[in-house]
C-alpha cells in the first residue's frame, strides 16, 4: 500500500502540492476563529457541586453582583489609613463608578482592614457567558488608567487585582509567550537541521511546509470545536505550535534519513523516495496512530479543557501525518538530491560512527545495557513520590511584577487572602417554602465556626425567600492548597451537615471549582491512562504481529513517564520554589511521552524486525538497528525536545514546567528508552519477542 502511495506521489508531485494548496485555502477561508478560555468553571460538567451552586445563583440571585476586580488602596508611606485617606477612597470609588465604564456595574468601597493598613473597593461586573469575550479585561485597562489619575495629589497608592485583572495580565503574558514559542521553535528547528544535514534547503523545508499546514490544522480544529460545542484551553495555541512543528519535523526526518540511506544504496532519486515511503510509511502511520489514539482518549475526560485539547491535538497530528506521506515526498521528489545542497555527505556511508559503536556494544552485552538504562529511569522515577498538584494556574504562572500580583500581595497586608474571590454558600429550601429567619441565622453561625473561614457575610435572601446566599472569605488564597482543603474537608461537610431540615446547602466559588476539578482529574486519570495504554498496545500488536513486544515496549514507556514526572517534581518543587506542578501536567506528560515516545520505539522496533528478516541474529539485529536508526531517533529527539523546550522561554511557570517536562521526557524516550532499553531487551528476549507471529522471519521463508 505504501509503495503504491509513494509511486503515485512521485509521479504526480505537482497535483499533490496543488491539492494541498486548494484544501488549505478552502479550510482557512471558511473556518471560524479558534477561541480559547481560561475560565476553569466552564470546563466542568453540570453534576459537580460548584456548578450546581452557580445554577442556584443564576436562578435565585440573578442580580447578585459578581466581583470582577478588587481595587486595593494603601498609604504610599505604608502607615495606617487616616480618616482623610478613607474619604479619598470613597471619593475615588464614586468617581470611577460615575464614569460609565463598560462592564463596570458598581464600585463599592469597603471598610479598612482591622489593622488599618489596607482598604478595598469591590468592582462589580456581570458574569460572562462567552469565554472569548475580553470586554472585562478592557474595563480593567480603563480602570487602571483612570485610577492612577484619581489618586494623584493624595497620600494613597492603588492597584487592581481580582479575576478580570488577572485575566488581563495573563493574556498579556500569553501573547508574549506565543510569540517567543513560535519564533524559538522555528529558530531551533532551522539551526539543528543545519547542523545535522548542513543544508539550508532541508533546514527551511519543515518551516515552509508546516507553515502551510499549520493554518489548515487550526482551521479544522476551530471548525470541530464549533461543530461539537467544545471549548479550547487557553494554552492550546502554544501546544499546537510545538506539536505541529515538533511532530512534523520528526516525520520529515524519518523520511529523509531513509531517503538518504536508499540513495547511498545506489537507487536513483525517484526510486529512493518510493523506497523511503514504502519502508517508513508503516512506521510513521503506526506512530501517528498511537499519538492520535492517545490524544483522542482525552475525549473520555469529564474535564472540558482536556476533552477539547485531545481531539484538537489529534487533528493536528492527523494533518501532519497526511503531509508527511504525501506533501513532503512530493516536494522532495521535485528537488531530488538538490535537497541536500551544498552537502555531499549523502553520497557516502560514514564509517565508525558513535551509533555504530553504541550498537555494537548493545549487541555484545544487551543485559548490561538493559539493566543500566532501566535503573536510570527507575531512580529518576522515585522523584515522582513527591508530586504535588497546583491548581493556581493564573497567579502561579504570572510574573510577580504584574499589577494583579503586586496588588494581591498588598491586599494580604490587611485582609484574608480569600478576599479577592469569596466562596459562595447557598442554602435552599427543598419544599419551596420560604426559609425562616432562625434557619438563616443558625446556618450563618455554623459557617462562622468552620476552621479556615475568615469572615461570613450576612445572609442575602432571594426574592421568593426560598434561598439564602452567604459570602464566605477564606483565610488562604482562593487557589491555594489550604483553601482547597478548607472547602473540601471542612466547609462543605459542615454546610451539608448543618443545613436545617427541609433545606440543602451547595458550596460554590472559584475554590470550590478547583476542588471539583481535582476530583474530575483523579477520575480522568483512572480512565484515560488505561484506555490510551490499551489502544497503543493494540496498535503495537497489529504492527508487530506480536503479543510479547507490546508489553515490554509499554513497560519502557511507563518507566520513561515515571522518570520524567520524578525529575520535573524534583526540579520545580524541591530545588525550585513552586508550590506544586500544574495539575494537568501528568496527563499531558503521559500522552506526549507515551505517544511521542512510542514513535521512537516503533521506529526502532520496526528496524529491529527488518534486520532480523535479513537473517541477522537478535544481537546482530540490535546492533545494526541502532547503527541505522540511531541517527534518525537522536536527530528527531533533539529537535522535538528543543521545540518543547521553547515553552520555557515564555516567562510563565506553568509553561516552563510543561516545557521542561515534555523536552526531558522526549530526551529520555529517544536516548534512553528507544535507543538503548528497547533494542537491548529485544536482543535479550530474542525470537520470543515476536510470539505468536514470526515477525522476525523473512517473508520468503514463511
Amino acid at each position: 500500500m505504501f509503495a503504491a502511495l509513494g509511486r503515485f506521489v512521485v509521479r504526480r508531485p505537482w497535483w499533490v502540492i496543488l491539492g494541498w494548496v486548494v484544501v488549505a485555502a478552502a479550510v482557512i477561508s471558511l473556518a471560524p476563529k479558534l477561541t480559547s478560555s481560561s475560565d476553569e468553571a466552564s470546563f466542568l460538567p453540570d453534576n459537580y457541586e460548584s456548578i450546581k451552586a452557580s445554577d442556584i445563583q443564576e436562578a435565585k440571585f440573578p442580580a447578585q453582583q459578581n466581583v470582577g476586580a478588587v481595587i486595593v488602596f494603601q498609604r504610599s508611606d505604608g502607615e495606617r489609613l487616616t480618616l482623610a485617606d478613607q474619604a479619598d477612597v470613597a471619593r475615588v470609588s464614586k468617581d470611577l463608578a460615575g464614569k460609565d465604564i463598560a462592564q463596570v456595574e458598581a464600585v463599592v468601597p469597603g471598610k479598612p482592614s482591622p489593622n488599618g493598613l489596607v482598604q478595598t473597593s469591590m468592582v462589580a461586573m456581570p458574569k460572562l457567558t462567552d469565554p472569548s469575550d475580553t470586554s472585562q479585561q478592557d474595563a480593567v485597562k480603563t480602570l487602571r488608567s483612570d485610577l492612577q489619575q484619581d489618586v494623584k495629589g493624595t497620600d494613597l497608592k492603588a492597584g487592581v487585582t481580582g479575576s478580570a485583572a488577572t485575566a488581563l495580565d495573563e493574556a498579556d503574558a500569553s501573547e508574549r509567550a506565543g510569540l517567543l514559542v513560535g519564533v524559538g521553535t522555528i529558530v531551533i528547528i532551522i539551526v539543528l537541521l543545519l547542523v545535522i544535514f548542513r543544508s539550508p534547503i532541508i533546514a527551511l523545508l519543515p518551516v515552509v511546509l508546516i507553515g502551510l499546514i499549520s493554518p489548515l490544522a487550526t482551521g479544522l480544529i476551530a471548525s470541530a470545536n464549533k461543530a461539537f460545542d467544545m471549548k479550547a484551553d487557553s494554552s492550546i495555541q502554544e501546544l499546537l505550535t510545538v506539536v505541529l512543528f515538533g511532530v512534523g519535523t520528526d516525520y520529515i526526518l524519518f523520511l529523509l534519513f531513509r531517503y538518504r540511506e536508499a540513495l547511498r544504496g545506489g537507487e536513483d532519486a525517484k526510486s529512493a523516495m518510493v523506497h523511503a515511503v514504502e519502508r517508513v510509511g508503516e512506521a510513521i502511520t503506526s506512530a501517528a496512530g498511537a499519538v492520535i489514539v492517545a490524544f483522542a482518549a482525552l475525549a473520555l475526560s469529564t474535564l472540558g479543557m482536556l476533552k477539547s485539547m485531545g481531539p484538537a491535538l489529534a487533528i493536528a497530528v492527523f494533518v501532519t501525518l497526511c503531509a508527511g506521506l504525501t506533501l513532503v515526498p512530493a516536494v522532495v521528489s521535485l528537488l531530488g538530491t538538490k535537497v541536500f545542497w551544498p552537502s555531499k555527505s549523502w553520497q557516502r556511508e560514514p564509517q565508525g560512527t558513535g551509533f555504530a559503536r553504541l550498537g555494537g556494544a548493545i549487541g555484545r552485552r544487551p543485559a548490561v545495557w538493559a539493566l543500566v538504562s532501566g535503573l536510570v529511569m527507575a531512580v529518576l522515577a522515585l522523584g515522582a513520590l513527591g508530586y504535588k498538584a497546583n491548581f493556581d494556574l493564573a497567579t502561579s504562572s504570572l510574573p510577580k511584577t504584574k499589577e494583579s500580583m503586586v496588588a494581591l500581595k498588598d491586599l494580604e497586608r490587611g485582609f484574608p487572602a480569600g478576599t479577592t474571590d469569596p466562596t459562595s454558600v447557598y442554602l435552599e429550601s427543598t419544599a419551596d417554602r420560604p426559609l425562616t429567619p432562625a434557619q438563616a441565622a443558625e446556618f450563618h453561625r455554623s459557617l462562622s465556626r468552620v476552621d479556615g473561614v475568615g469572615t461570613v457575610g450576612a445572609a442575602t435572601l432571594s426574592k421568593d425567600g426560598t434561598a439564602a446566599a452567604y459570602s464566605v472569605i477564606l483565610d488562604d488564597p482562593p487557589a491555594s492548597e489550604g483553601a482547597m482543603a478548607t472547602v473540601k474537608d471542612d466547609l462543605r461537610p459542615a454546610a451539608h451537615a448543618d443545613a436545617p431540615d427541609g433545606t440543602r446547602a451547595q458550596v460554590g466559588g472559584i475554590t470550590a471549582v478547583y476542588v471539583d476539578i481535582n476530583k474530575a482529574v483523579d477520575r480522568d486519570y483512572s480512565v484515560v491512562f488505561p484506555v490510551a495504554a490499551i489502544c497503543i498496545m493494540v496498535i503495537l500488536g497489529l504492527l508487530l504481529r506480536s503479543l510479547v513486544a507490546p508489553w515490554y515496549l509499554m513497560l519502557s514507556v511507563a518507566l520513561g513517564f515515571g522518570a520524567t514526572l520524578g525529575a520535573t517534581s524534583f526540579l520545580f518543587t524541591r530545588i525550585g520554589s513552586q508550590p506544586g506542578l500544574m495539575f494537568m501536567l501528568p496527563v499531558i506528560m503521559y500522552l506526549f511521552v507515551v505517544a511521542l515516545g512510542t514513535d521512537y520505539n516503533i521506529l526502532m522496533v520496526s528496524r529491529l524486525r527488518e534486520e532480523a528478516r535479513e537473517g541477522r541474529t537478535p544481537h546482530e539485529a540490535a546492533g545494526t538497528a541502532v547503527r541505522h536508526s540511531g541517527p534518525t531517533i537522536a536527530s528527531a529527539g533533539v529537535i522535538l525536545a528543543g521545540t518543547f523546550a521553547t515553552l520555557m522561554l515564555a516567562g510563565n511557570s506553568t509553561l516552563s514546567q510543561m516545557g521542561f517536562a515534555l523536552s526531558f521526557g522526549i530526551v529520555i524516550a529517544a536516548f534512553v528508552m528507544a535507543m538503548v532499553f528497547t533494542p537491548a531487551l529485544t536482543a535479550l528476549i530474542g525470537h520470543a519477542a515476536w510470539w505468536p507471529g514470526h515477525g522476525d522471519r523473512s517473508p520468503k521463508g514463511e
Side-chain angles (χ1 to χ4, degrees):
M1 181 181 76
F2 292 103
L5 176 63
R7 285 192 293 271
F8 174 82
V9 170
V10 167
R11 289 171 183 170
R12 298 173 178 82
W14 286 113
W15 285 104
V16 173
I17 294 170
L18 179 62
W20 273 93
V21 171
V22 170
V23 170
V27 170
I28 293 168
S29 61
L30 297 175
K33 182 182 178 182
L34 179 63
T35 59
S36 61
S37 172
S38 58
D39 177 12
E40 288 85 356
S42 68
F43 295 114
L44 278 170
D46 295 338
N47 60 309
Y48 284 91
E49 184 172 344
S50 57
I51 305 303
K52 292 178 180 178
S54 178
D55 292 341
I56 294 175
Q57 185 262 315
E58 291 178 6
K60 299 289 186 178
F61 303 92
Q64 187 179 36
Q65 291 180 330
N66 175 58
V67 178
V70 178
I71 304 174
V72 182
F73 296 93
Q74 59 183 330
R75 284 184 60 87
S76 301
D77 58 12
E79 297 298 320
R80 291 170 61 90
L81 295 165
T82 65
L83 291 176
D85 295 329
Q86 294 175 42
D88 284 334
V89 170
R91 177 186 58 79
V92 170
S93 300
K94 183 178 179 181
D95 181 61
L96 291 173
K99 290 186 176 182
D100 293 327
I101 301 172
Q103 293 293 317
V104 174
E105 296 178 334
V107 182
V108 183
K111 295 179 180 179
S113 61
N115 60 13
L117 296 176
V118 181
Q119 189 170 353
T120 62
S121 286
M122 299 298 175
V123 181
M125 295 181 175
K127 190 172 182 179
L128 292 179
T129 56
D130 181 4
S132 63
D133 190 344
T134 60
S135 57
Q136 293 189 357
Q137 297 176 30
D138 296 334
V140 171
K141 285 183 185 178
T142 305
L143 274 173
R144 284 175 170 173
S145 176
D146 292 350
L147 175 64
Q148 298 311 316
Q149 293 297 320
D150 285 349
V151 296
K152 279 185 178 178
T154 71
D155 294 324
L156 298 172
K157 65 176 183 177
V160 183
T161 186
S163 57
T166 301
L168 171 63
D169 291 341
E170 190 179 30
D172 290 341
S174 295
E175 185 175 346
R176 172 178 172 270
L179 178 63
L180 283 172
V181 168
V183 173
T185 297
I186 292 171
V187 169
I188 282 177
I189 289 174
I190 291 174
V191 170
L192 290 177
L193 284 176
L194 274 173
V195 171
I196 293 166
F197 286 98
R198 298 189 291 280
S199 166
I201 297 176
I202 290 180
L204 292 173
L205 190 64
V207 176
V208 174
L209 295 184
I210 299 168
L212 170 65
I213 68 172
S214 179
L216 169 61
T218 302
L220 289 174
I221 292 165
S223 299
N225 283 355
K226 182 178 181 180
F228 296 101
D229 192 27
M230 296 188 297
K231 300 179 178 71
D233 175 61
S234 56
S235 63
I236 189 65
Q237 196 61 60
E238 287 81 10
L239 280 176
L240 278 176
T241 299
V242 293
V243 166
L244 284 166
F245 279 94
V247 176
T249 304
D250 265 9
Y251 296 163
I252 291 174
L253 282 176
F254 291 175
L255 195 71
L256 285 176
F257 270 98
R258 201 57 189 250
Y259 177 58
R260 186 174 68 178
E261 185 180 330
L263 289 172
R264 286 171 174 171
E267 297 190 44
D268 63 84
K270 298 213 177 275
S271 297
M273 180 50 66
V274 174
H275 175 92
V277 174
E278 178 186 5
R279 290 304 178 97
V280 301
E282 185 180 28
I284 289 177
T285 303
S286 300
V291 178
I292 290 168
V293 164
F295 287 159
L298 284 175
L300 299 173
S301 171
T302 56
L303 203 58
M305 65 180 74
L306 297 180
K307 184 178 290 188
S308 61
M309 181 187 295
L313 297 179
I315 290 170
V317 174
F318 177 75
V319 172
T320 306
L321 168 65
C322 294
L325 292 177
T326 57
L327 181 61
V328 176
V331 172
V332 175
S333 69
L334 287 173
L335 294 171
T337 57
K338 294 183 181 68
V339 75
F340 299 105
W341 180 88
S343 174
K344 302 291 186 182
S345 62
W346 63 270
Q347 297 175 344
R348 60 191 179 276
E349 180 76 31
Q351 300 297 320
T353 65
F355 295 104
R357 290 193 294 272
L358 175 63
I362 292 173
R364 287 189 299 271
R365 295 181 177 177
V368 173
W369 286 94
L371 180 63
V372 171
S373 56
L375 279 175
V376 167
M377 292 188 286
V379 169
L380 288 172
L382 292 176
L385 298 175
Y387 167 74
K388 286 176 61 178
N390 176 33
F391 289 80
D392 189 3
L393 300 189
T395 57
S396 68
S397 64
L398 282 174
K400 301 305 178 187
T401 54
K402 288 290 186 181
E403 183 174 333
S404 58
M405 298 295 97
V406 174
L408 178 61
K409 189 76 173 176
D410 292 338
L411 180 144
E412 292 174 3
R413 294 181 65 217
F415 288 103
T419 302
T420 55
D421 273 303
T423 294
S424 300
V425 181
Y426 298 95
L427 184 66
E428 186 181 29
S429 172
T430 57
D432 288 331
R433 287 196 299 266
L435 298 172
T436 66
Q439 286 176 321
E442 177 56 33
F443 191 67
H444 181 279
R445 285 192 291 272
S446 66
L447 293 177
S448 301
R449 292 192 293 266
V450 175
D451 291 338
V453 169
T455 60
V456 180
T460 301
L461 292 176
S462 60
K463 283 186 177 180
D464 60 6
T466 61
Y470 302 83
S471 179
V472 178
I473 295 177
L474 305 178
D475 290 333
D476 297 303
S480 67
E481 188 177 358
M484 290 176 62
T486 296
V487 169
K488 179 184 177 184
D489 301 328
D490 299 306
L491 184 57
R492 272 185 174 169
H496 297 162
D498 295 341
D501 292 340
T503 68
R504 61 170 170 257
Q506 305 281 6
V507 178
I510 191 62
T511 305
V513 168
Y514 289 134
V515 171
D516 289 341
I517 287 177
N518 190 22
K519 183 179 178 181
V521 167
D522 288 343
R523 177 264 174 200
D524 290 347
Y525 284 172
S526 66
V527 173
V528 174
F529 281 19
V531 169
I534 290 169
C535 290
I536 292 174
M537 286 184 70
V538 169
I539 290 174
L540 289 171
L542 293 174
L543 169 68
L544 304 174
R545 284 81 169 173
S546 167
L547 294 178
V548 175
W551 285 99
Y552 69 81
L553 292 177
M554 288 305 296
L555 169 64
S556 69
V557 171
L559 279 173
F561 167 77
T564 304
L565 183 59
T568 308
S569 294
F570 187 79
L571 178 64
F572 285 94
T573 62
R574 299 288 180 87
I575 298 178
S577 58
Q578 294 297 314
L581 299 182
M582 179 185 66
F583 72 93
M584 289 192 303
L585 190 59
V587 72
I588 293 173
M589 268 176 43
Y590 176 84
L591 294 171
F592 275 89
V593 174
V594 169
L596 299 180
T598 303
D599 275 12
Y600 304 135
N601 260 349
I602 287 175
L603 189 68
M604 178 58 74
V605 82
S606 296
R607 190 63 188 240
L608 285 165
R609 181 184 60 180
E610 184 179 328
E611 297 302 332
R613 285 178 169 179
E614 295 293 328
R616 293 182 175 87
T617 66
H619 287 224
E620 291 170 344
T624 308
V626 171
R627 176 187 175 187
H628 286 293
S629 294
T632 310
I633 292 172
S635 301
V638 167
I639 290 175
L640 188 57
T643 58
F644 281 131
T646 59
L647 291 170
M648 300 175 70
L649 299 174
N652 175 316
S653 65
T654 298
L655 289 177
S656 293
Q657 289 177 13
M658 192 182 300
F660 173 81
L662 297 181
S663 59
F664 186 84
I666 294 301
V667 168
I668 289 290
F671 291 93
V672 181
M673 182 180 73
M675 204 178 299
V676 179
F677 193 69
T678 293
L681 268 185
T682 305
L684 277 175
I685 297 171
H687 178 67
W690 312 101
W691 183 88
H694 303 286
D696 58 338
R697 293 181 181 174
S698 172
K700 295 178 182 179
E702 291 183 8

